[in-house]
Amino acid sequence: MDLGIAGKRALVCASSKGLGRGCAEALAEAGVDLVMNARGSEALEQAAAEIRAKYKVTVDAVAADITTETGRAAVLAKGPFDILVTNAGGPPPGLWSDWSREDFIKALDANMLTPIALMQAVLPGMIAQGWGRVVNITSVSVKAPIAVLGLSNSARAGLTGFVAGTARQVAGKGVTINNLLPGIHATDRAIALDGAVVKARGISMEEAIAERAATIPAGRYGTAAEFGATCAFLCSQHAGFIVGQNVLLDGGATNTTL
Ligand code: NAP
């Protein structure tokens, strides 16, 4: 399917690895020029070079912490953008009684206020040109809480509320905003969480992965490529009537009818 977005320009945040990289790859395959971002410049430059070589699109790499004002200013200076994919690392796991005000502020900054600030920066340009696509990478924890990820549950719920109202305010201008909710995907983040289980329970990594995969009706972890393809579709010309949705990509793990 031709996604109809060749020649558009996208900012894909936190995209040297994992789900962000999957989104960058799928958009590049559709002919979209990219600004890619991550904190570490080595992996970022390598990812940018691989995507440039494979898909023949323009890729600017901006090494910066997207959760800081200066980091956001550095990536936004590469605009204007037709497409925005927001993403950042997730907050650390813990117990409800562990977290201080500072921990909450950090999580809110990274996973709620940063995507909101990015949307506030790019939406006026998208509205002015009558076309834009925003996809926020959030989490399955928005639909079904993950007890040890209370910081994520809280911050991402706040972002979801902002998107629900804002998406409906900009839809009439040709701009769509939707959220993609990953369940378990085979990325460094998932492997780090499995590593914690290995340590705590004294089992092997293979056992930890097999146990977790068995909790997913699809019987496996998702891939960054599948995730990216869904993101690219939401950014396509065909998805203009999909507004303010929370699209779950979890292999059926969340046991709900709707
Ligand atoms: P990942 O494999 O660890 O990759 C994270 C990417 O983001 C890397 O490129 C990393 O590069 C970059 N990054 C992290 N913090 C950043 C920051 N402050 N500024 C700029 N770049 C940053 O993670 P992932 O699995 O793709 O997860 C992406 C998001 O989805 C996270 O918020 C995660 O919590 C959420 N999620 C993931 C899963 C899953 O199963 N994978 C499930 C639910 C939710 P640098 O480290 O060099 O900055």
Side-chain angles (χ1 to χ4, degrees), residues 103-187:
D103 295 323
F104 276 102
I105 301 279
K106 215 171 152 194
L108 292 171
D109 252 337
N111 299 110
M112 176 184 170
L113 300 176
T114 287
I116 289 175
L118 289 165
M119 282 185 266
Q120 287 174 324
V122 303
L123 285 173
M126 292 178 176
I127 289 168
Q129 70 179 10
W131 196 95
R133 297 282 184 266
V134 178
V135 173
N136 299 293
I137 300 179
T138 66
S139 172
V140 67
S141 70
V142 168
K143 289 241 186 209
I146 302 170
V148 293
L149 293 180
L151 292 172
S152 171
N153 299 340
S154 309
R156 298 189 199 276
L159 172 63
T160 305
F162 175 84
V163 167
T166 307
R168 286 158 174 95
Q169 288 175 287
V170 302
K173 309 290 182 193
V175 180
T176 71
I177 313 177
N178 293 286
N179 302 320
L180 267 183
L181 283 52
I184 299 164
H185 284 71
T187 66

Side-chain angles (χ1 to χ4, degrees), residues 13-20 37-41 43 64-67 87-91 111 137-140 152 156 182-190 212:
C13 303
S15 55
S16 66
K17 299 177 188 165
L19 304 180
N37 153 259
R39 290 163 305 181
S41 64
D65 184 340
I66 199 68
T67 68
N87 187 28
N111 299 110
I137 300 179
T138 66
S139 172
V140 67
S152 171
R156 298 189 199 276
I184 299 164
H185 284 71
T187 66
D188 287 0
R189 160 97 172 161
R212 203 141 74 113

Side-chain angles (χ1 to χ4, degrees), residues 71-83:
R72 286 191 292 277
V75 295
L76 289 169
K78 299 285 184 183
F81 300 106
D82 307 295
I83 294 168

Side-chain angles (χ1 to χ4, degrees), residues 21-99:
R21 164 115 190 219
C23 296
E25 292 244 6
L27 287 167
E29 192 177 358
V32 174
D33 293 320
L34 300 177
V35 173
M36 292 176 67
N37 153 259
R39 290 163 305 181
S41 64
E42 202 178 312
L44 177 65
E45 289 297 346
Q46 193 182 327
E50 286 169 12
I51 290 176
R52 251 181 237 123
K54 190 164 174 191
Y55 301 106
K56 315 290 177 217
V57 294
T58 303
V59 183
D60 289 332
V62 182
D65 184 340
I66 199 68
T67 68
T68 65
E69 235 177 278
T70 46
R72 286 191 292 277
V75 295
L76 289 169
K78 299 285 184 183
F81 300 106
D82 307 295
I83 294 168
L84 166 68
V85 180
T86 75
N87 187 28
L95 242 189
W96 61 270
S97 49
D98 290 345
W99 300 308

